[in-house]
Every structure is written in C-alpha cells, then in structure tokens.
Amino acid sequence: MASLRLRDRDAIITREGLIFRVFGYTHPPEGYICDLEYAPAELFQSKNPKAFRTDGKRVFYKFYEDEGWHFVKKKFPQHMILHKPLGKKVVGVHKGDIAEVRLPEQALKRLLEAEPKDELIKAMQKVLEATVHATGLSLENFGVFGSLLHGFYHPKFSDIDLIVYGRENLEKIRQTLEELYSDKSSGFSNEFADTSPVKGKLWRYKNLNREEFVWHQRRKLIYGVFRDEASGRTIKVEFEPVKSRSEIKGEDGETEKITWMGWIKALLRVKDDLEAPYMPSIYQVEPLQIVEGRRIGNLERVVSYLEEFRMQA
C-alpha cells in the first residue's frame, strides 16, 4: 500500500471494517487525513433513522456531524494521525492500516456494466445520458460516492451521488445542468429552486440566513433533482467536484507550521477562485478593510473545509 496516491473522496476500508473518505489532497507521508463515514453494526449503531445502510448481508451506520470524530477518538485512537503543521492529531488512516481502497471512477464503471440493473441504476443511466454523454464528455472523468460507491444503496430510496473530475469538466456539466433546469420538459430541476430544502432544519450559521444560503446553493448548479418517469421517483442528483490527477500538485510538506492567531472580520476581494470547488476550497484574496480583530499585513488567501462554502464567491 506504500505506493498509493489517493485523492479526495476515494474510500479507505480498515481491517476493522471502518469506511473512511479521503479528505482533500494534502496528506502526511505515512497516511491519509480522512473523515469517518460508515461503520459496521458490530462496531457502531446509530439512533438516527437516516443512518441505516445495508448491502443485504451486513448492516452499516453512517456518521453525522462530529459523531465520527468522537467515535474514532474514543474507540479507535490508532486512526488519529499527526498533522505536523498544526501540531495536533486529526482523523486519518496510516498506510499500514489500509485493508482495501475503493475508487469512485471504478465503482461507476462496475455499476454500469453490471446486469441486471435495478431502477436506481437505470435512472442514473438516464442522468448520465442527459448530462455526460450529451455534453460529449468521457465517463472516465466521473465517479460515484456514498452508498453507490460502497454497494449498500437502496434502489427505491437512495440518491444519485456523482463525482466530476476536473475544473473543465465541471464547468461543462454546470452549463448543461443550467440548460436542463430551464427546460421544464427535461425532467431536471434545481434542488434549491426554493427554500424547501432548508425548512425545519436546525440552523447553525450565524452570518448566513436561509435565503442567502439557498441563493448560493442554487447558483452552484451541482445540486439537482431528476424526475424519473419509469420508477415514479423524484431523485436528488449531485455532481461533486474533485480535482483531476493533473490538477493535483505535490503540496505534501510545503506548509511547515500553522499558528492560531485569532479571529478577524474582514472585507476581501477575491482575486482567484480556481480551487473554490474543491476540498478545501481556496480563495486568493486581497483585503479591502479589516472590520474587526488584529491587522494582518499579508492576508493572501482564505482556506475553507466547509463543503457549503465551496464555489461561494
């Protein structure tokens, strides 16, 4: 496993059966910084009704919010890895603890080649036909994540979670989706056409209200809904951006130290958003005004690990 070079949203399975998502592109040489996504029922059970997953043979539960972090820290501290620039341990998997790797692009290929196809995979084929094929792109630049990647999706209830690799492919897919959303006969619509996706949900943002959040999510275009006539379902469809291999730079070891200096509130001008769709999202900026907090002379970029803040500017 020493020669592995994984990227964001690739999956790692440990010997215990824990399923991790590789998080981002910069990792220590001895392993990968990750997010724990699923665990078999023998190790973890959740009271959250949304957490249950099964492949027909085994039961798994999904972790939500910071459940995975607390679980690893308490039960499997060996899956904490030192982030040297921070000087702290974060959730991660050492290369010697990797039992299996699942790649989203390979999983998509297997799902499309398998027979017979259930109603969700047939619906996914229609989505790909209307987006990827209609745009003239190659399926090699796409993958699946979540339950589709791990084989415990439910044909009647699961979403269609897709990955698009590379900025150029992302922009072409976004343009195609925008056209589909505007065509009422296409079967596609923008998930955030109104505020219904956030109604009734606990709101944790302090400086972003529901209407602003929905406006941003709507214009990103990667969150859609597909009305599948054959199954009678309205299925959520996502196209999550991940860097292509050629876009990944060798950044391991470049950051020597990260020091906590405190909070500031500032008005910034975004100069470059080339890496805004990815994890982490990076915005090259120039400060216009420091509203609150200490003055920073070399404020050059904003780095965010919140998925909701991707493609935000």
Side-chain angles (χ1 to χ4, degrees), residues 18-19 36-54 58-64 67 152:
L18 298 173
I19 301 176
L36 179 58
E37 290 197 309
Y38 307 94
E42 310 91 79
L43 300 178
F44 171 75
Q45 295 187 23
S46 173
K47 295 180 180 179
N48 188 329
K50 298 189 298 181
F52 180 86
R53 303 287 190 278
T54 183
R58 299 180 69 192
V59 171
F60 298 82
Y61 288 92
K62 183 176 180 178
F63 293 93
Y64 287 91
E67 285 181 330
F152 42 62

Side-chain angles (χ1 to χ4, degrees), residues 6 9 19 38 40 62 83 85 99-100 103 107 137 147 154 158 162 170 181 230 233 248 258 275 294 300 309:
L6 303 180
R9 289 197 178 275
I19 301 176
Y38 307 94
K62 183 176 180 178
H83 189 285
E100 181 187 350
L103 302 180
L137 298 175
S147 296
H154 195 295
S158 292
L162 298 165
L170 170 64
Y181 296 158
R233 284 190 62 202
I248 301 173
I258 299 172
E275 298 206 17
R294 63 183 296 170
E300 297 177 353
F309 289 166

Side-chain angles (χ1 to χ4, degrees), residues 231-298:
S231 65
R233 284 190 62 202
T234 298
I235 308 170
K236 289 184 181 180
V237 178
E238 290 187 24
F239 282 89
E240 289 292 337
V242 171
K243 288 184 180 181
S244 65
R245 297 288 180 191
S246 62
E247 291 173 329
I248 301 173
K249 301 175 182 178
E251 296 181 350
D252 293 4
E254 285 188 5
T255 302
E256 294 184 1
K257 189 175 182 180
I258 299 172
T259 303
W260 168 257
M261 304 292 289
W263 291 98
I264 68 166
K265 184 184 291 186
L267 180 63
L268 310 172
R269 175 183 287 120
V270 176
K271 297 164 57 179
D272 188 322
D273 67 346
L274 189 63
E275 298 206 17
Y278 304 123
M279 180 59 65
S281 51
I282 301 174
Y283 300 90
Q284 304 295 332
V285 300
E286 60 175 327
L288 300 179
Q289 180 185 1
I290 305 297
V291 178
E292 188 177 304
R294 63 183 296 170
R295 298 297 182 263
I296 304 295
N298 59 342

Side-chain angles (χ1 to χ4, degrees), residues 198-215:
V198 298
K199 282 184 178 177
K201 291 189 175 181
L202 178 64
W203 201 248
R204 300 183 184 275
Y205 299 101
K206 294 183 178 180
N207 298 305
L208 185 69
N209 62 41
R210 285 176 168 82
E211 289 72 22
E212 291 170 332
F213 176 84
V214 167
W215 182 84

Side-chain angles (χ1 to χ4, degrees), residues 127-139:
V127 169
L128 293 172
E129 185 66 37
T131 55
V132 177
H133 297 303
T135 313
L137 298 175
S138 171
L139 278 174

